[in-house]
Amino acid sequence: MKSDIILAGVGGQGILSIATILGAAALAEGLYLKQAEVHGMSQRGGDVMSCLRLSSRPVASDLIPQGKADIIVSLEPMEALRYLSFLAPGGWIVTNTVPVINTKGYPDTAALVASLEQRPHTIAIDMDAVASKVATARASNMVLLGAASRFIEIPAEKIEDGIRTVFAAKGENVVESNIAAFRAGLKAAGEAAV
């Protein structure tokens, strides 16, 4: 098993929480992992990117070479486009369709999403709307994780255990809310992939 994952978004969206949860799930599965993070002024809404490399064999480097990522997981459509050069042929894009408009001249959202959807192997969902139905809009990162989990070779139960581990200190209601959002994302991706 080998999975090279680019996690992308904007500061404050919870991209690094996704990386932590996947890391906990990978360790529980006995997998090797390496992670590298780039925080681009994340406190001010700058881009945040994490390379996450999971494997059943030791991983030598924490950086994913261009053209080698198996999946781009993005909470923001422009950030998904930013890292397309890292996607391997046949790789998947799983992205939120809701933009974080934090600069003047931000491109047209419909054009951004259309550009992503023209690529093969793309799941583009309004993660915020799905999260709001089952939890709160703040859980959109867990919806995204659920949607992406269809393309990551870790059992959903192990990822849910990772959610429990990461959010345990915040109480059972927060844990259950995030698990509900994860499951809703898993379901939404299944419906979108049909």
Side-chain angles (χ1 to χ4, degrees):
M1 180 272 179
K2 179 195 79 68
S3 192
D4 287 340
I5 305 164
I6 297 284
L7 301 166
V10 172
Q13 287 189 299
I15 285 297
L16 300 181
S17 293
I18 292 173
T20 302
I21 290 164
L22 285 174
L27 290 175
E29 275 290 281
L31 298 174
Y32 294 92
L33 74 105
K34 293 265 185 175
Q35 180 187 358
E37 301 169 0
V38 175
H39 307 262
M41 296 183 52
S42 58
Q43 290 84 3
R44 297 186 190 144
D47 71 312
V48 174
M49 185 272 272
S50 179
C51 292
L52 184 60
R53 305 187 82 187
L54 310 173
S55 179
S56 53
R57 302 180 72 185
V59 180
S61 172
D62 53 359
L63 297 177
I64 299 170
Q66 292 207 5
K68 299 295 184 183
D70 300 301
I71 183 171
I72 294 173
V73 179
S74 181
L75 263 168
E76 210 283 337
M78 187 67 179
E79 295 304 316
L81 284 171
R82 181 188 307 267
Y83 296 103
L84 279 182
S85 65
F86 285 88
L87 192 63
W92 280 87
I93 300 166
V94 180
T95 187
N96 191 357
T97 58
V98 178
V100 175
I101 301 174
N102 55 6
T103 63
K104 289 182 180 180
Y106 189 94
D108 177 68
T109 302
L112 279 177
V113 173
S115 175
L116 288 165
E117 289 177 333
Q118 288 175 1
R119 300 186 58 84
H121 311 298
T122 297
I123 303 287
I125 299 170
D126 182 339
M127 307 291 174
D128 295 13
V130 174
S132 294
K133 288 179 185 173
V134 298
T136 69
R138 287 185 49 88
S140 62
N141 64 333
M142 292 300 103
V143 174
L144 178 67
L145 177 57
S149 71
R150 296 179 56 84
F151 312 102
I152 300 170
E153 295 179 53
I154 297 176
E157 304 80 43
K158 294 289 185 181
I159 297 174
E160 288 185 15
D161 288 344
I163 293 169
R164 284 185 184 90
T165 299
V166 170
F167 292 114
K170 295 188 178 197
E172 191 60 27
N173 288 341
V174 172
V175 169
E176 292 308 317
S177 177
N178 280 287
I179 288 174
F182 171 81
R183 290 176 180 167
L186 185 62
K187 181 181 178 192
E191 292 167 357
V194 172

